[in-house]
Amino acid sequence: MLSVQNTDTPVTFSPELKAKFADVVSRYPAGKQKSALLPVLHLVQAEYGWVSAPAMDAVAEYLSIQSIEVYEVASFYTMYFLKPQGKYMLEVCRTGPCEIVGATPIMEHIEQQLGVKEGDVTEDGLFSWRGVECLAACGFGPVLQIGPEYTFYENLTKESVDTLISDLRRKAGN
Amino acid sequence: MARKLLLEHINVPGINTFDVYRSKGGYAAVEKALKTLTPEEIVEEVKKSGLRGRGGAGFPTGMKWSFLAKPEGVARYLVCNGDESEPGTFKDRFLMTYIPHLLIEGMIVSSFALGANTSYIYLRGEMMPQIRILEKAIAEAKAKGFLGKNILGTGYDLELYVQPGGGAYICGEETALLESLEGKRGNPRIKPPFPAIAGLYGCPTVVNNVESIAAVVPIINDGGEEYAKIGIGRSTGTKLISAGGNLKRPGVYEIELGLSAEEFVYGDDYCQGIANGKRLKAVVAGGSSVPILPANLFLKTINNEARLMSYESLSDGGFATGTMLGSGGFIAYDEDQCIVRNTWNFARFYHHESCGQCSPCREGTGWMEKVLHRLEYGHGKMSDIDLLVDVSKKIEGNTICPLGDAAAWPVASAIRHFRDEFEWHVTSAYEATTRNYGLAHYADPLNAVVA
């Protein structure tokens, strides 16, 4: 089960996570540890499912930068979730090449199957979905991706989406 | 059959592993470069090859390299641009997924040529699977002595790292990419200074597309002059074209530049025509930002010459009747596609991806999206069409980076070539919400130009 971070509680990163941070920081010259910010935020999101304000403050402290430097980055890039999402966030490409091979009907089908609007979370906490811009898989559309591994599902049909959703439900049930 | 320089071994089982890649002649360019060539000689070979930047701009790679400042005691960087986010473009993802060592090999040779001891491959964050693939390939190459300290006993040191982005189209612009790599928002920098003088951490930096760096491998193996023999005119070598949309066989194709456009769309070795027996209505030849062309103008130039897949032929006629090769992101539209809807979709994309730094782009992209939305949904006015052209002209050329132009061109070109379809969305507003305009005259033979 995904641990959802309460927004007000301070975050303490585990030694394992901090070891991953340190590995990232080692890639840059001394004093340029701010370069680690984007990869570190990905690691935080993979751990907690989203990026909370206390988590961002802890990242700032770890990288010896100001909190605002983390907030402005986390809010600029689209991959970071600033509020909790479903365990599985289905991100469907909605840009031109996917659109002309049927992205909109796929999103409508997902909305219907999950029973939640774009950006909302299903009651069981398992699913969210949203349309995203071009995922660079234009020859295999429609496509969707699911973090934190960012597994790709290509050439989507309503049937393959149904199978995917029921597979994920089964996986979560274990 | 066309020569393949990048994808020759793409179907060999296990080519994504070091050993199989090596058994097919892989890393020979590293041995040749580090043991027998000087950095200057490598730059010279790349200049001779005529290689032009494969990310979209088409700027000669060798010339870009020769601009790199080399102040004493200052680190220099090579950064590979794998942000690939231009709608229609998926060639770099393909290359990195299936033959990652080609990019690693190109990075080693190019880093040596530029005198870089630390290099970064910046990938868009959504490419986490490709990041894992590349990190595995880097570890393999390092274990075999092709990366790290004293590579192949030549005394040359190189560390190579993969950096994820966070989901932002703008980071494909090289200075925005450098900002992002420094852990900041992807706001493009004002140039000058160019990255060649002050790039990553203020140090001299070269930023090259994935495919450009991969192309350095055959250039070093065969020599720049051999590479330049392939292609046509100033469009030398091979190019990856990622073809999507309503094609019978979409995918990534390596073409010799100069292939006829008709052969590319209909040929058995390429896309095999339009899916479901339909007819071609329009083409975006080089990624969403290049001007869209109706089928007739894509297949033939205004002078009734066959259009070729090359930098020069695709831009023949300028923006009035031509387009650009761009990134090689090829999108085909069949007769059932609505140009107004597609233009609205692209406008929304650019509005979403504008970094917000320059007001003409930040505000203009939003206006274009809104006006196109009302045209598509039956609430448009005839004056909206000229309004869109007006807004696009006020964005174009008035922004720090080319995203403004990239947002303006698709709208301006769609209206230039498909104006009657836009007008029909106003005059037959209700009907336009129930059916598409169809092929109309967009594939008809062109009228002879009378001077």
Side-chain angles (χ1 to χ4, degrees):
Chain A
M1 187 60 198
L2 193 78
S3 57
V4 172
Q5 180 66 46
N6 182 299
T7 318
D8 303 323
T9 320
V11 168
T12 313
F13 298 126
S14 67
E16 294 78 19
L17 196 56
K18 277 193 172 168
K20 287 183 188 172
F21 292 176
D23 176 53
V24 175
V25 170
S26 74
R27 299 169 189 173
Y28 317 104
K32 303 298 180 189
Q33 76 282 358
K34 189 178 171 182
S35 278
L37 182 50
L38 274 75
V40 161
L41 286 174
H42 282 304
L43 290 169
V44 169
Q45 180 157 299
E47 180 82 8
Y48 298 100
W50 66 299
V51 181
S52 66
M56 288 191 269
D57 292 338
V59 167
E61 197 187 328
Y62 182 86
L63 293 177
S64 309
I65 57 178
Q66 300 297 316
S67 290
I68 183 65
E69 295 178 84
V70 183
Y71 302 162
E72 66 171 10
V73 161
S75 60
F76 180 86
Y77 296 94
T78 56
M79 290 178 73
Y80 304 117
F81 303 134
L82 301 181
K83 58 176 190 166
Q85 307 294 329
K87 181 180 171 80
Y88 303 111
M89 168 55 120
L90 279 51
E91 297 182 302
V92 187
C93 176
R94 60 177 187 173
T95 315
C98 274
E99 170 63 19
I100 65 172
V101 293
T104 295
I106 290 293
M107 285 191 284
E108 286 167 356
H109 184 71
I110 289 173
E111 178 168 6
Q112 198 184 27
Q113 291 302 303
L114 297 180
V116 288
K117 294 245 174 265
E118 182 171 11
D120 290 347
V121 186
T122 55
E123 262 180 35
D124 57 9
L126 273 187
F127 293 101
S128 317
W129 73 276
R130 65 171 180 168
V132 294
E133 300 298 351
C134 189
L135 294 177
C138 318
F140 320 107
V143 296
L144 68 76
Q145 65 179 11
I146 304 176
E149 287 84 20
Y150 291 90
T151 318
F152 255 72
Y153 299 88
E154 299 172 344
N155 299 309
L156 296 174
T157 61
K158 287 176 183 172
E159 293 71 30
S160 71
V161 167
D162 289 346
T163 311
L164 172 64
I165 290 172
S166 57
D167 284 352
L168 290 172
R169 278 214 176 95
R170 205 171 312 121
K171 198 170 135 193
N174 290 337
Chain B
M1 193 65 194
R3 264 185 82 179
K4 297 215 186 320
L5 302 179
L6 304 179
L7 304 185
E8 186 185 356
H9 303 298
I10 197 78
N11 291 320
V12 174
I15 195 69
N16 59 338
T17 63
F18 180 91
D19 290 338
V20 175
Y21 180 75
R22 184 94 172 106
S23 73
K24 290 290 170 188
Y27 288 97
V30 172
E31 291 188 299
K32 183 175 175 180
L34 270 58
K35 290 181 176 170
T36 71
L37 299 174
T38 65
E40 294 73 27
E41 285 169 335
I42 298 171
V43 175
E44 201 49 42
E45 288 303 317
V46 174
K47 273 188 180 170
K48 276 192 241 166
S49 75
L51 174 68
R52 294 166 69 176
R54 300 300 196 221
F59 190 81
T61 305
M63 199 183 292
K64 193 174 191 178
W65 285 13
S66 67
F67 292 156
L68 186 69
K70 292 174 179 161
E72 203 56 31
V74 178
R76 303 194 282 272
Y77 292 101
L78 170 64
V79 179
C80 175
N81 183 345
D83 192 60
E84 190 167 63
S85 307
E86 171 90 357
T89 316
F90 54 101
K91 64 191 178 69
D92 297 338
R93 169 200 292 279
F94 182 88
L95 192 141
M96 292 185 288
T97 305
Y98 296 106
I99 189 158
H101 284 283
L102 184 65
L103 176 60
I104 309 295
E105 183 174 9
M107 283 298 287
I108 300 169
V109 174
S110 306
S111 299
F112 176 69
L114 298 169
N117 297 109
T118 305
S119 295
Y120 297 96
I121 302 174
Y122 180 101
L123 292 199
R124 57 181 299 176
E126 292 91 341
M127 289 196 190
M128 290 294 177
Q130 284 69 33
I131 290 173
R132 293 191 288 270
I133 289 168
L134 286 174
E135 284 182 339
K136 181 165 169 275
I138 287 170
E140 285 181 321
K142 199 167 183 176
K144 301 285 183 180
F146 283 86
L147 278 171
K149 294 263 177 232
N150 192 19
I151 295 170
L152 304 178
T154 60
Y156 176 60
D157 304 335
L158 176 66
E159 291 298 335
L160 186 54
Y161 300 108
V162 189
Q163 174 86 357
Y169 168 75
I170 190 61
C171 291
E173 195 281 334
E174 61 179 13
T175 61
L177 186 152
L178 295 174
E179 287 286 297
S180 181
L181 182 46
E182 291 181 4
K184 302 175 198 158
R185 296 160 67 94
N187 288 344
R189 297 173 181 171
I190 293 173
K191 297 188 267 191
F194 287 89
I197 309 296
L200 183 63
Y201 311 130
C203 299
T205 303
V206 165
V207 183
N208 284 143
N209 173 256
V210 169
E211 186 188 348
S212 308
I213 289 174
V216 171
V217 174
I219 288 168
I220 293 307
N221 280 332
D222 306 337
E225 279 171 18
E226 279 302 307
Y227 186 88
K229 285 179 189 164
I230 303 169
I232 181 166
R234 288 180 56 237
S235 298
T236 60
T238 64
K239 173 91 188 81
L240 298 181
I241 306 288
S242 57
N246 307 118
L247 290 163
K248 199 177 269 180
R249 201 174 65 152
V252 176
Y253 298 96
E254 182 173 9
I255 64 159
E256 290 187 13
L257 286 166
L259 176 75
S260 97
E262 187 161 0
E263 173 72 13
F264 183 69
V265 176
Y266 296 100
D268 285 343
D269 291 337
Y270 302 100
C271 304
Q272 298 182 355
I274 309 307
N276 306 314
K278 290 183 181 159
R279 291 166 298 175
L280 180 68
K281 177 177 180 179
V283 165
V284 169
S288 60
S289 54
V290 311
I292 187 170
L293 289 179
N296 48 13
L297 266 181
F298 170 67
L299 295 169
K300 292 261 174 76
T301 70
I302 194 71
N303 297 320
N304 217 27
E305 288 164 5
R307 185 81 76 176
L308 309 178
M309 301 292 282
S310 72
Y311 292 98
E312 289 75 23
S313 179
L314 281 167
S315 56
D316 187 304
F319 274 14
T321 58
T323 181
M324 290 164 77
L325 177 65
S327 61
F330 187 96
I331 313 165
Y333 296 84
D334 72 24
E335 58 194 279
D336 290 337
Q337 301 309 326
C338 173
I339 299 301
V340 176
R341 186 172 182 81
N342 181 70
T343 310
W344 163 58
N345 185 293
F346 282 168
R348 188 199 59 206
F349 173 83
Y350 288 108
H351 181 212
H352 184 266
E353 299 299 338
S354 173
C355 80
Q357 195 173 207
C358 314
S359 44
C361 173
R362 181 184 65 235
E363 305 301 325
T365 52
W367 277 104
M368 292 200 299
E369 182 197 346
K370 283 185 193 129
V371 174
L372 281 158
H373 182 274
R374 74 179 178 217
L375 277 166
E376 165 64 7
Y377 285 92
H379 307 290
K381 293 179 281 194
M382 204 51 98
S383 59
D384 282 348
I385 301 171
D386 285 333
L387 176 63
L388 284 169
V389 175
D390 186 46
V391 174
S392 80
K393 282 206 162 67
K394 282 170 180 158
I395 300 173
E396 191 181 351
N398 291 322
T399 54
I400 289 173
C401 89
L403 191 142
D405 300 345
W409 294 342
V411 174
S413 61
I415 294 172
R416 189 182 308 129
H417 298 298
F418 300 88
R419 193 172 187 107
D420 48 334
E421 186 164 345
F422 281 83
E423 288 172 354
W424 178 74
H425 273 71
V426 178
T427 55
S428 307
Y430 174 71
E431 199 182 350
T433 62
T434 61
R435 73 168 180 92
N436 286 329
Y437 193 61
L439 184 64
H441 54 90
Y442 298 125
D444 292 352
L446 294 167
N447 293 324
V449 182
V450 182

